[in-house]
Amino acid sequence: MAQDKVFFVHTATTGNISLDGTELDHPDLNSNPSAMIMVTHNLNYGGVQYNNNVTGTFYHTGTSRWMVYNQNTDPMVEGSSYNIYIIDGGESDGVVASGTDYRVRVNNPSINGNPDAIILYANYYNTFGIRNDNNCGVYYDTGDEYWYVFNEDTQEDIPAQAAFDVLIGEGTGGATAFKHTATAGNISSNYTVIDHPSLNGKPEAYPVITHNWGSGGDASNIELDKTLGVWYDGSNWNIYTEDMSAMPEGVMFNIYVSDETLGIENESIAEITSYPNPTTGEVTLTSKS
């Protein structure tokens, strides 16, 4: 099996930008309106380019293509890039805001009552056509034992009928899910360095992330009303704030990344032996790797 093909990076160019959006071109997305997508800004793919705007996903019925778009209608930034994960094999859900609160409940039996679950979200436009120009995160309510997508500005309600796609689960769909906490030892200015074997030394890992406030009373209970992204420094992936503001100590993130598996594109086989040889029936192959 080759590395999970549903992780890839997309760059906004003059050829694929239309107003506030950039059109994706991928065989698992084209003419597939039912797809569910996670998106994370990638700062330095093909050159450093910020996009300090809340983004979401949108399926354009006229072109049969998916788009990443700016929620505030600002023009899409040429040269900005995005890590894309098409949920394929992992568990997913969709939730819609009532418009009477700063949060929306994720009611899913696989994570209800589980404060250690790892979930990610993405804004989704098509269900009701509502833009949600808010930085959001996720948290676990120990009172009712549900997970929520919440507005980082807790004084403002999420717009009524704003919709979210939610990625649920650990290690499903050929991927690894884990949590990362920003500490004094891994923070530098506006970013925090991730140290994890699924990412270290892997510039083509293309992780997707979500801020995780945690549960009530956790040291991670920090509001982070910032647009976030990731960048690769030559050895490690980092999470950064798009507005260049300082990364707070103690803030936590959920991270989802493709597992590297052996396949035709990354074949590495050594010292192959076979027996019996010659044979007219079964043959056994052995290798060190």
Side-chain angles (χ1 to χ4, degrees):
M1 179 184 295
Q3 187 172 5
D4 197 337
K5 67 180 179 179
V6 294
F7 279 88
F8 67 100
V9 64
H10 169 82
T11 299
T13 67
T14 55
N16 61 39
I17 289 175
S18 176
L19 302 175
D20 59 356
T22 173
E23 183 180 86
L24 308 180
D25 182 8
H26 192 279
D28 288 349
L29 289 178
N30 300 343
S31 301
N32 181 12
S34 62
M36 300 182 77
I37 311 168
M38 295 293 109
V39 179
T40 293
H41 297 196
N42 184 334
L43 177 65
N44 62 333
Y45 184 85
V48 175
Q49 183 60 65
Y50 291 86
N51 178 23
N52 187 26
N53 295 291
V54 178
T55 52
T57 64
F58 163 65
Y59 183 76
H60 195 304
T61 56
T63 61
S64 299
R65 297 288 179 92
W66 281 88
M67 303 185 75
V68 174
Y69 73 101
N70 290 333
Q71 296 279 0
N72 59 5
T73 73
D74 280 3
M76 177 53 63
V77 179
E78 183 180 352
S80 60
S81 295
Y82 307 89
N83 291 348
I84 307 292
Y85 173 55
I86 310 167
I87 301 176
D88 181 23
E91 186 177 353
S92 60
D93 205 342
V95 295
V96 179
S98 66
T100 60
D101 206 343
Y102 70 94
R103 64 183 189 170
V104 54
R105 177 184 289 177
V106 182
N107 184 2
N108 188 288
S110 66
I111 59 172
N112 294 345
N114 180 12
D116 297 320
I118 297 179
I119 70 173
L120 287 80
Y121 86 94
N123 289 293
Y124 172 59
Y125 177 81
N126 291 81
T127 298
F128 295 104
I130 302 297
R131 291 178 181 260
N132 175 37
D133 188 23
N134 296 291
N135 292 303
C136 294
V138 298
Y139 85 99
Y140 181 78
D141 190 320
T142 54
D144 61 17
E145 299 186 335
Y146 287 104
W147 278 91
Y148 288 84
V149 177
F150 76 100
N151 190 350
E152 298 279 2
D153 180 359
T154 57
Q155 302 303 308
E156 182 178 346
D157 289 344
I158 295 173
Q161 296 185 314
F164 305 90
D165 286 339
V166 180
L167 171 63
I168 298 171
E170 300 183 27
T172 56
T176 295
F178 63 96
K179 299 176 183 178
H180 169 80
T181 300
T183 67
N186 62 38
I187 291 174
S188 180
S189 184
N190 71 318
Y191 63 91
T192 172
V193 181
I194 306 168
D195 181 10
H196 194 275
S198 68
L199 290 176
N200 297 346
K202 298 178 181 179
E204 297 181 356
Y206 308 145
V208 288
I209 66 164
T210 286
H211 171 223
N212 181 357
W213 188 83
S215 304
D218 291 348
S220 61
N221 292 168
I222 300 169
E223 292 178 11
L224 187 61
D225 191 8
K226 306 291 180 182
T227 301
L228 304 168
V230 296
W231 66 284
Y232 185 73
D233 65 12
S235 57
N236 293 84
W237 283 90
N238 306 268
I239 300 172
Y240 72 97
T241 57
E242 287 277 0
D243 66 356
M244 299 293 291
S245 60
M247 178 64 66
E249 186 175 348
V251 69
M252 183 168 62
F253 303 93
N254 292 345
I255 301 175
Y256 205 80
V257 59
S258 173
D259 287 338
E260 184 176 5
T261 54
L262 185 64
I264 295 174
E265 295 178 358
N266 55 352
E267 185 174 343
S268 178
I269 300 175
E271 298 185 28
I272 296 175
T273 59
S274 64
Y275 62 88
N277 186 16
T279 180
T280 58
E282 288 188 355
V283 61
T284 299
L285 301 175
T286 63
S287 169
K288 282 193 173 182
S289 63

